[in-house]
């Protein structure tokens, strides 16, 4: 793992509205993580990379250009999948009681830093 990137993810994961964060490669490998110890990192990484590719294709087919950010919202929580300029993907798990709007704003503010570290 890349220490400065891990530090940046730990800072993001330290927010009260974040339950965890990781960066994955296009191949679905974990690059860096600040996730709970019981998280299935390899499965999340592989599925996030696959989802990101499908979402880019869907968004392009709709005519909106490549998707850069997707929010998954389910009964047990939310997650944000964001494509970095460097080509990697960030997955952020939202805390159950967090403000998703504030979190989306915070993630956008962190993107240049994260992208520069990958």
């Amino acid at each position: 793992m890349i220490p400065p990137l891990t530090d940046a993810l730990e800072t993001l994961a330290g927010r009260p509205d974040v339950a965890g964060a990781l960066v994955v490669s296009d191949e679905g490998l974990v690059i860096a993580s600040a996730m709970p110890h019981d998280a299935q990192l390899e499965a999340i990484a592989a599925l996030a990379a696959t989802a990101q590719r499908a979402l880019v294709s869907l968004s392009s087919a709709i005519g909106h250009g490549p998707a850069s950010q997707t929010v998954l919202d389910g009964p047990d929580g939310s997650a944000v999948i964001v494509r970095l300029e460097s080509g990697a993907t960030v997955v952020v798990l939202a805390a159950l009681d967090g403000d998703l709007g504030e979190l989306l704003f915070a993630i956008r503010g962190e993107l240049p830093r994260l992208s520069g570290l990958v």
Side-chain angles (χ1 to χ4, degrees), residues 9-51:
L9 285 178
E10 287 175 356
T11 299
L12 182 61
R15 292 178 50 91
D17 51 2
V18 175
L22 74 155
V23 176
V24 303
S25 70
D26 282 343
E27 295 79 22
L29 302 174
V30 176
I31 296 174
S33 170
M35 294 284 281
H37 294 293
D38 61 345
Q40 298 177 355
L41 294 180
E42 289 79 17
I44 293 169
L47 292 167
T50 300

Side-chain angles (χ1 to χ4, degrees), residues 27-99:
E27 295 79 22
L29 302 174
V30 176
I31 296 174
S33 170
M35 294 284 281
H37 294 293
D38 61 345
Q40 298 177 355
L41 294 180
E42 289 79 17
I44 293 169
L47 292 167
T50 300
Q52 180 62 32
R53 285 190 297 275
L55 292 166
V56 165
S57 296
L58 173 61
S59 183
S60 294
I62 292 170
H64 292 174
S68 58
Q69 177 178 283
T70 303
V71 177
L72 303 173
D73 192 24
D76 296 325
S78 300
V80 181
I81 300 173
V82 183
R83 182 77 170 165
L84 296 175
E85 289 180 17
S86 62
T89 298
V90 178
V91 179
V92 179
L93 304 181
L96 291 176
D97 57 350
D99 182 326

Side-chain angles (χ1 to χ4, degrees), residues 2 5 8-9 23 82-90 107-118:
I2 306 166
L5 181 57
L9 285 178
V23 176
V82 183
R83 182 77 170 165
L84 296 175
E85 289 180 17
S86 62
T89 298
V90 178
I107 291 170
R108 284 191 181 171
E110 289 293 324
L111 291 181
R113 178 180 177 204
L114 292 171
S115 195
L117 293 171
V118 176

